[in-house]
Amino acid sequence: ATVGSFSLPADQPGRVDYVITSDPRPDELRSDNNSRGFSLKVVDNKARVLLLDGDARWEFRYLNNLLERDRQVEATTVLFRQPWLEILNQPALQNTLPPAEAFRELLARTDLLIVGDLNPAEADPQTWQLVEDAVTRDGLTVLVIPGRQYMPLAHQSEILNNMLPLTSVRQKLAEQFLASPPGGEQSAFRLTLSTAAQNLPMFQLQEQPGSRDMALTKLPGHPWIATGTPKPGASVWATAAIPGLPAAGDPVIVQQDYGFGQVVWLGLDSTWRWRRRAGDEWHYKFWGQLIRWAARSKAAAGNSSLRMSVSDVIIDESESPEVVVRWDRRLLPQIQNAAVSVIAAQTGSPAPPITIRLQPAPDTPERSSARLTGLTEGNWTLRLKVENTTVEVPPNLQTELIVRKQISAELADVSCNRTLLKQLAEQSGGALIEPRPAARIAELQLPTDQPQQKLQVRSLWDHWSLIALFCCLLMAEWVVRRVSGLP
């Protein structure tokens, strides 16, 4: 196989559809898998990240370096406690938050806020109030990376406790449950992905969907975690457990919708360990996709009353994307009897649109969702329809969805793993046959001659012919005796 790379023009914003084709070869059996289409969406802005931490712990250092290297991310970093010999006029990084009004504007422009191990003195009640306003009003995503010193156990903020997706936070050290063997690998927690997070982009570390959870489990472990009890309505994305111990996994990555935004609890501070012998392969893929997922969530269509978002904008025919509508919680009395539906219409198709009713979540009535099923290949427009409410809904509230034709795994990947096939043939007593000497297959399937000897024992009196012969001999003896005058 020949592997090549090429660049695509990205100077104009918008969505561009591409098709990669390959000319059929003379001895090729099938040519229906010689083309593959994909779409590329070019945006004219960067993902904006605000990173707040107390100390320059290892998680902060690797994450800050990652943000500085990513040219598609505009990062603002505040490190409150950093060594400063006062040789320079100011520390290497900003060590204070801007004034309240400037901080409010900064949060309004931010897609993802990462909160580390902050001292309660470094985040006063006004700070948490501004963060909560940005989450509920602007759709900000907050990611909390707890620490061993302050976050969140040392904080007494009621606003912070309301935003966190879990309660009764407690720390666990793997060494306390399983001592590390002398000279062996350190005891560590391993992550297991939940069903609710299977299709999230930040966890798609491998191309094959069935191996995503395996890839997460095989990544380097974590010696320390912070876990707790998920709140009603929160979604557990991953649990952590020590291999070899019968204890159940503890919730360690938990997400909760909060207003138009969301709060994610990342109960470990050692994702930098994923760089061991792999560099940026896993660490950057996780964080890069997480940042862009947060930016896409904030860009959901809507107004100050509601927001509509789709879990994926490009899917295969076999997938069922989730449509989510979130209301301003203050409008709950006005939407109790509201009928929320999404109308899916295929562009250029005479088929009637598909209407699907969204159902409110039992624990979070301000959130309604539904799965879109049975969508065929093509471009779809999803339009929101709201009835039985006095809340003003934009009449043109819609979004796009692209459905690609699903191709079988055999046609999508026609590469031959000869090493694996040879091992299977040797273990099963078979043979590996290349395409050209394929005539040998018929010879191998024909049965071979195997001579056998069989001994059969039969009693003389068990056959009628033997009895008749015996009677004839007796009669002949009697006749001979009579002719000879013998008695």
Side-chain angles (χ1 to χ4, degrees), residues 297-309:
S297 299
K298 187 176 182 181
N303 57 6
S304 59
S305 300
L306 78 164
R307 298 285 180 91
M308 180 179 70
S309 61

Side-chain angles (χ1 to χ4, degrees), residues 318-398:
S318 61
E319 297 178 331
S320 301
E322 183 182 25
V323 178
V324 178
V325 173
R326 286 190 284 181
W327 298 84
D328 187 340
R329 191 173 182 84
R330 295 171 296 183
L331 301 176
L332 284 179
Q334 305 179 44
I335 62 172
Q336 288 183 354
N337 299 323
V340 183
S341 304
V342 61
I343 301 176
Q346 189 174 11
T347 305
S349 174
I354 301 175
T355 302
I356 298 180
R357 180 77 175 267
L358 276 67
Q359 301 296 330
D363 300 321
T364 53
E366 70 275 14
R367 184 181 189 273
S368 301
S369 62
R371 290 280 181 181
L372 299 179
T373 59
L375 300 183
T376 57
E377 179 187 8
N379 296 339
W380 292 78
T381 300
L382 308 181
R383 183 171 60 87
L384 188 64
K385 181 181 179 181
V386 181
E387 300 174 323
N388 301 332
T389 181
T390 59
V391 179
E392 183 180 356
V393 179
N396 58 345
L397 185 56
Q398 62 184 26

Side-chain angles (χ1 to χ4, degrees), residues 466-478:
L466 295 177
I467 297 177
L469 177 61
F470 179 73
C471 294
C472 291
L473 291 176
L474 289 178
M475 179 61 69
E477 180 190 11
W478 181 80

Side-chain angles (χ1 to χ4, degrees), residues 56 70 131 159 177 230 236 348 369 397 417:
D70 196 334
V131 172
I159 298 178
F177 298 91
V236 178
S369 62
L397 185 56
N417 190 346

